[in-house]
Amino acid sequence: MKSWLKDAKHVNDLGGVGHLKSNIPWEEEERREAVYWERWLAKLKKPIPVNEEHRPFFRSGMHDSWLVGSERKGGEYNLTVSCIFATVFAENLGNILGLHPKGLHWHFAGPFRVILSCHDIYYQRTADLDPSGRLKFNRIEIPEFKSFEQGTFLFDWFEEQDDRIQWVVNLWIKGENVYVLTDCKSLSATDLREVDLVKAFGPNVAKVWADVRTATERDWHYELVHSEIQKSMIVHGLTAQDFDTTNFRYAFREPYI
C-alpha cells in the first residue's frame, strides 16, 4: 500500500502541532490550535515504536542538538546529530579544566554524535515549506555548524501503517523548517557520545560521564551538570591532570558583539 507520507501536501498533514495561521477569525484559529495541540499531546502518550534501548533518542529526545550529517544509502538512512546534553557536559568539564577560550561569546564543544537510523526504507522524501505551509521539495545540505540557526534538530514523531513506521523529523536549517519524511520497517540509534568524549578528554571521562548521566537524567541544566561533574571527580579522585585534552576542540568561536 502507498505510504500516506506521499500524499501529504501541507505541514498540518504530518500530525505535528499545527503552527501556521490562516486568514480566518481568531475564534476559529484558536479552536484549530486547540485541536492540533490535543492531537499532539495524545501522540506523545503512545509507545515509541523502537526497541527500548533506543527510545531515549527519539520523540524529540535530541531536541536542540546540532546537525552533523544526513546520508541515504539504498534502503538505509542516517541522520547524525551532536547531542546537546553531551555538549553541555563537555562545555562544563572544559571550563572546570580551564579550557574555556577567553573573551568568546559562544563556545560549543563537539561533535558528540548520536546516529539516528532508518532501516528497510519503503518511502522517503525531504521537504521545506512555502509561505502557505505547503510542502515542497528540499535537498538537505548540512552546513558547517556556527550557530543553532545553521542546523538544529527540533522534533520527531511517529505514525504506523501496514506494519511499517512513519518517522517525521522537523529540522531547523538556515532559518527554515525542513522535514525528513520516512516510511520504513524499523529505526535504531547508535550512541557515540562516550567514544567522542573519550577522544576529547581521555579515558577517565567515561566514569564522570556515567555519573552525570545518572544524576541528571531528568534535568540537565548547566549549573546542575557543573555541580555533578565536580562531585564525580571528587568521588573518583580525579584532578585536571587526569584528563588528556590533547584532542579537545571547541566547535567554533564567535567574539562578543
Side-chain angles (χ1 to χ4, degrees):
M1 181 180 289
K2 181 173 66 172
S3 174
W4 66 267
L5 289 175
K6 190 171 185 178
D7 291 328
K9 306 299 184 185
H10 191 278
V11 64
N12 290 342
D13 296 336
L14 299 179
V17 177
H19 61 280
L20 290 174
K21 301 184 182 298
S22 305
N23 187 21
I24 56 177
W26 71 267
E27 296 93 343
E28 176 61 14
E29 189 174 282
E30 191 174 61
R31 185 195 70 79
R32 291 186 186 184
E33 287 185 350
V35 170
Y36 286 133
W37 186 248
E38 183 177 348
R39 182 177 67 181
W40 176 251
L41 292 179
K43 192 183 301 294
L44 296 183
K45 295 178 182 178
K46 293 181 179 179
I48 299 176
V50 300
N51 290 340
E52 185 174 0
E53 66 268 26
H54 304 305
R55 290 173 190 167
F57 303 103
F58 289 97
R59 192 177 283 161
S60 306
M62 293 290 97
H63 179 71
D64 276 349
S65 296
W66 50 276
L67 303 178
V68 177
S70 173
E71 183 180 35
R72 170 78 183 267
K73 284 188 176 181
E76 304 290 307
Y77 173 70
N78 292 324
L79 180 64
T80 305
V81 301
S82 182
C83 174
I84 184 64
F85 172 44
T87 298
V88 168
F89 173 88
E91 288 173 16
N92 273 284
L93 181 55
N95 290 341
I96 290 169
L97 300 180
L99 301 177
H100 185 282
K102 295 181 180 179
L104 299 176
H105 184 51
W106 298 109
H107 47 89
F108 297 99
F112 304 108
R113 298 164 295 161
V114 173
I115 304 174
L116 306 174
S117 301
C118 302
H119 310 289
D120 298 320
I121 293 173
Y122 179 78
Y123 173 80
Q124 184 179 63
R125 66 170 164 147
T126 55
D128 58 7
L129 309 177
D130 71 10
S132 70
R134 291 184 65 83
L135 300 168
K136 57 190 183 71
F137 174 76
N138 173 279
R139 185 183 300 280
I140 291 180
E141 295 181 2
I142 305 297
E144 179 184 359
F145 182 74
K146 294 187 180 299
S147 77
F148 285 114
E149 288 292 307
Q150 292 295 107
T152 312
F153 189 104
L154 294 181
F155 307 104
D156 69 300
W157 60 94
F158 300 93
E159 300 288 351
E160 295 180 77
Q161 177 194 62
D162 299 328
D163 294 322
R164 301 190 308 269
I165 301 168
Q166 293 80 52
W167 186 44
V168 180
V169 180
N170 181 189
L171 308 175
W172 186 250
I173 300 178
K174 294 183 178 180
E176 300 287 343
N177 280 293
V178 176
Y179 294 86
V180 184
L181 313 177
T182 307
D183 190 324
C184 62
K185 192 65 177 177
S186 64
L187 296 103
S188 65
T190 303
D191 184 1
L192 299 176
R193 295 175 298 175
E194 184 175 312
V195 172
D196 292 339
L197 286 166
V198 168
K199 180 179 178 181
F201 294 103
N204 284 323
V205 75
K207 307 170 191 175
V208 182
W209 171 239
D211 289 347
V212 174
R213 284 176 63 189
T214 300
T216 62
E217 183 178 5
R218 298 185 181 278
D219 184 6
W220 47 265
H221 62 78
Y222 271 75
E223 291 80 6
L224 179 60
V225 171
H226 191 95
S227 173
E228 293 299 332
I229 290 173
Q230 291 177 315
K231 288 181 184 177
S232 178
M233 288 176 63
I234 291 171
V235 167
H236 296 292
L238 298 172
T239 66
Q241 288 69 39
D242 296 311
F243 296 89
D244 180 0
T245 60
T246 305
N247 295 313
F248 178 82
R249 296 290 184 273
Y250 284 108
F252 76 97
R253 297 181 169 91
E254 181 176 300
Y256 285 108
I257 297 175

